[in-house]
Structures are given as structure tokens and as C-alpha cells.
Amino acid sequence: MKGLLNKGLLVLAVVSLASCDYQKYNTVRQKDFRAGDEYVYGPHPDSAAIQSNYKYTARPELEQRTGKIRQKLFGGSTIAQGN
């Protein structure tokens, strides 16, 4: 009986999770003057924006500054080390 109850609860949990709408509550409660702009939001709500695909030229003079910022925020670890 207890096994049947556990299986029933598992099925109920799976069904309730499957009925969720992805991005349902990811909205802003104000008028969006860029609504529908693919450049900002991409062609689909779950896709990346077109502007995020742009590649910018590297500026090596900023490496020292970003290193100092990383040191201040993360201490002795770096992002490349995964810590």
C-alpha cells in the first residue's frame, strides 16, 4: 500500500511539473517599447538576441583592469580555474 502511495505521489509530481509554462512569469509589468524587436529579444522568446551574436575586437589594454576587478570580486581564484 505504501509503495502504491509513493508511486501515485511520483506520478502526481511529474504531471504537475509537466504542466508548467516555461517563461510564463518572466515578464515586466510596464510597457515595452521594443516588444517584438528581434534585435533585442531574438526571433523566439527562448532564443538569444541577435545583438549577442556580434563579435568585438579585443582590446588588450583592458586586460589589466579586468584582472584587477576579478581579483577584487573573486579573490585569488580566476574564472579559468573554475573556482
Side-chain angles (χ1 to χ4, degrees):
M1 186 69 173
K2 192 173 188 180
L4 183 62
L5 179 64
N6 286 339
K7 289 178 185 176
L9 288 175
L10 178 66
V11 168
L12 181 66
V14 169
V15 168
S16 68
L17 289 175
S19 66
C20 294
D21 287 334
Y22 183 67
Q23 299 279 349
K24 182 178 180 182
Y25 296 109
N26 191 10
T27 60
V28 178
R29 290 180 174 87
Q30 64 186 15
K31 185 175 189 258
D32 186 7
F33 65 93
R34 292 190 185 253
D37 189 359
E38 290 186 5
Y39 179 77
V40 176
Y41 295 110
H44 189 268
D46 296 330
S47 65
I50 294 173
Q51 65 183 350
S52 64
N53 295 330
Y54 292 148
K55 304 291 184 225
Y56 298 97
T57 57
R59 294 178 55 189
E61 67 271 8
L62 296 178
E63 286 298 320
Q64 186 178 12
R65 182 173 179 225
T66 56
K68 287 180 183 177
I69 293 171
R70 278 194 191 107
Q71 179 69 26
K72 194 174 199 178
L73 291 175
F74 303 113
S77 65
T78 63
I79 294 174
Q81 292 175 343
N83 293 330

